[in-house]
Amino acid sequence: MHILVNTGGGDAPGLNAVIRAVTLSGLRRGWKVTGIRRGYHGLLEPPSEGLIELTRDKVRGIAHLGGTILGTVNKGHPFEFITEVDGKKTTIDVSAEIMRRFREIGADAMIAIGGDGAFRIATRFTAMGMPIVGVPKTIDNDLSCTQATFGFDTAVTVATEAIDRLHSTAESHERIMVVEVMGRYAGWIAMHAGVAGNAHVILFPEIPYDIDSVVDRIKKRYASGRRYCIVVVAEGAMPRDGDISTIGTELGREVRLGGLAEKIGHYLGERTGFESRSLVLGHLQRGGSPTHRDRLLALRFGAAAVRMVEQGKFGHIVAYQPPHMVPVLMEEAIAVMKTVPLDSDTVQTARDLGICLGD
Ligand code: F6P
């Protein structure tokens, strides 16, 4: 067997642990394991630049490292490959070329580590005859087929520590501090880090917020003598009567979100009369070493993916349905997004603690 492995989409702490587990599990079976650099793009490049033979040595000491030794891309993919024609950037379909290269190098299977975008691409390649097993990756935790994805725990840990640190400075200056965390369409990071970090307001995509109710809540809090406020906002939160906050579009990628904390911080400062500041945690949440929980999960995903290749479970992704790793059809895996259930115990806990959720 010769298996290929790639990483696609935004990076997440734990990717290297998956690569290590895939490599060691493959080598133990006597297989050859090759990494593709930069998603599928490495297959379009000369082998010396685009491919890397994954040996025991290549994956030694990488399980605890953030990022991905293979590199990743989250704009342009084989069906919308970004190129320049007559000096103008445009996208073309290079999937046939990728299929040709896959066969040419004698590969038997591909393990694609990525999020919903990567699985959409994998579904199309599966239909073209490429045997693929997917490994789910998203710090946003928004895939419904799996109870957890690696990277989320690390992101929440980083965000919680940041929120913890904001309390003392906010209190000293009697300020409203608005902190923006990741979460495009789902508020998992905001909800978990916000509750764990004792935020006073949490705004997230699942509850379009009413800014007047937030203003009200903050005024009451100050009036009662608790003269500071921590507001956690997910980047994808939106007002009841408005839209998500974006900072531009780029060819071949999803719209970039951003700017929400600054807008809300400014508005709350004006409306309440209290001083406010805002900050964006951004990619700090995706960088650095994975927590032990993410590391273990990632190693389990990698080893399970190799077992699924062995069993011929192509067109499936590995899903964590405790206590088991199970195959789930790729189409099913991306059909429903996992958002924060409003009747969940964590949301109920937030309400019981008196945290304002913007409604
Ligand atoms: O999907 C993961 C994610 O971290 C989102 O929360 C965020 O909007 C996006 O990736 C940011 O991507 P980029 O690395 O392109 O800034």
Side-chain angles (χ1 to χ4, degrees):
M1 276 293 265
H2 179 192
I3 59 169
L4 305 185
V5 54
N6 74 353
T7 50
D11 67 345
L15 283 172
N16 282 325
V18 181
I19 295 167
R20 177 173 162 84
V22 165
T23 304
L24 296 186
S25 308
L27 293 178
R28 276 179 63 80
R29 287 164 168 79
W31 301 355
K32 180 175 174 182
V33 186
T34 300
I36 310 170
R37 295 190 197 272
R38 296 172 280 279
Y40 291 86
H41 292 191
L43 281 175
L44 300 168
E45 299 165 4
S48 58
E49 280 168 38
L51 304 178
I52 167 173
E53 180 166 355
L54 294 173
T55 58
R56 203 159 244 292
D57 267 356
K58 287 272 166 33
V59 298
R60 180 163 294 135
I62 64 165
H64 67 289
L65 301 179
T68 158
I69 60 165
L70 297 178
T72 185
V73 280
N74 66 354
K75 65 175 168 187
H77 55 72
F79 297 88
E80 278 176 31
F81 187 74
I82 300 170
T83 187
E84 232 177 80
V85 176
D86 300 333
K88 213 175 150 244
K89 280 201 171 163
T90 183
T91 57
I92 55 168
D93 183 349
V94 294
S95 56
E97 176 63 7
I98 298 272
M99 283 302 294
R100 195 185 61 73
R101 289 284 293 134
F102 178 82
R103 292 190 178 116
E104 192 179 87
I105 61 179
D108 297 297
M110 164 83 85
I111 293 181
I113 314 168
D116 53 348
F119 297 146
R120 257 174 217 114
I121 299 165
T123 312
R124 295 173 77 174
F125 273 129
T126 303
M128 290 168 81
M130 189 186 286
I132 306 184
V133 165
V135 171
K137 168 244 53 149
T138 157
I139 66 158
D140 292 356
N141 190 37
D142 54 4
L143 285 173
S144 61
C145 61
T146 182
Q147 193 262 340
T149 45
F150 57 88
F152 172 65
D153 188 61
T154 309
V156 171
T157 302
V158 170
T160 305
E161 192 191 325
I163 297 166
D164 285 348
R165 285 172 183 273
L166 289 177
H167 279 270
S168 57
T169 173
E171 190 165 12
S172 304
H173 287 268
E174 301 192 348
R175 281 174 176 155
I176 302 167
M177 294 296 273
V178 184
V179 53
E180 183 177 311
V181 298
M182 281 185 171
R184 289 183 80 82
Y185 308 113
W188 292 102
I189 298 177
M191 182 50 65
H192 282 223
V195 174
N198 294 306
H200 308 111
V201 179
I202 303 173
L203 306 179
F204 57 118
E206 290 82 347
I207 300 182
Y209 60 85
D210 171 7
I211 199 72
D212 292 331
S213 104
V214 180
V215 168
D216 234 45
R217 193 61 93 77
I218 295 177
K219 280 187 175 165
K220 282 192 185 124
R221 188 176 152 76
Y222 273 67
S224 71
R226 301 191 304 278
R227 298 182 58 80
Y228 81 100
C229 186
I230 305 288
V231 180
V232 174
V233 300
E235 60 183 346
M238 63 179 119
R240 252 183 216 173
D241 50 359
D243 218 338
I244 46 172
S245 179
T246 63
I247 51 174
T249 50
E250 264 177 83
L251 187 65
R253 65 155 292 159
E254 279 189 295
V255 66
R256 278 184 70 192
L257 304 188
L260 186 61
E262 198 183 338
K263 284 180 197 160
I264 290 189
H266 188 74
Y267 188 84
L268 292 178
E270 296 255 291
R271 287 282 312 277
T272 60
F274 308 126
E275 204 179 13
S276 69
R277 292 286 187 272
S278 62
L279 71 154
V280 180
L281 295 187
H283 298 80
L284 278 177
Q285 297 157 95
R286 288 212 324 233
S289 203
T291 59
H292 84 276
R293 191 186 288 262
D294 278 342
R295 219 177 288 180
L296 178 60
L297 193 60
L299 291 167
R300 292 183 61 189
F301 270 118
V306 169
R307 291 196 296 270
M308 278 174 47
V309 168
E310 197 169 39
Q311 294 155 8
K313 297 271 180 213
F314 301 117
H316 290 74
I317 70 154
V318 187
Y320 179 47
Q321 294 178 4
H324 303 294
M325 290 289 181
V326 298
V328 170
L329 266 177
M330 264 175 210
E331 288 88 344
E332 269 173 39
I334 49 181
V336 188
M337 184 173 288
K338 183 171 72 182
T339 52
V340 178
L342 297 185
D343 59 355
S344 66
D345 190 65
T346 310
V347 171
Q348 189 52 53
T349 301
R351 294 198 190 279
D352 285 340
L353 293 174
I355 298 171
C356 167
L357 300 181
D359 51 358

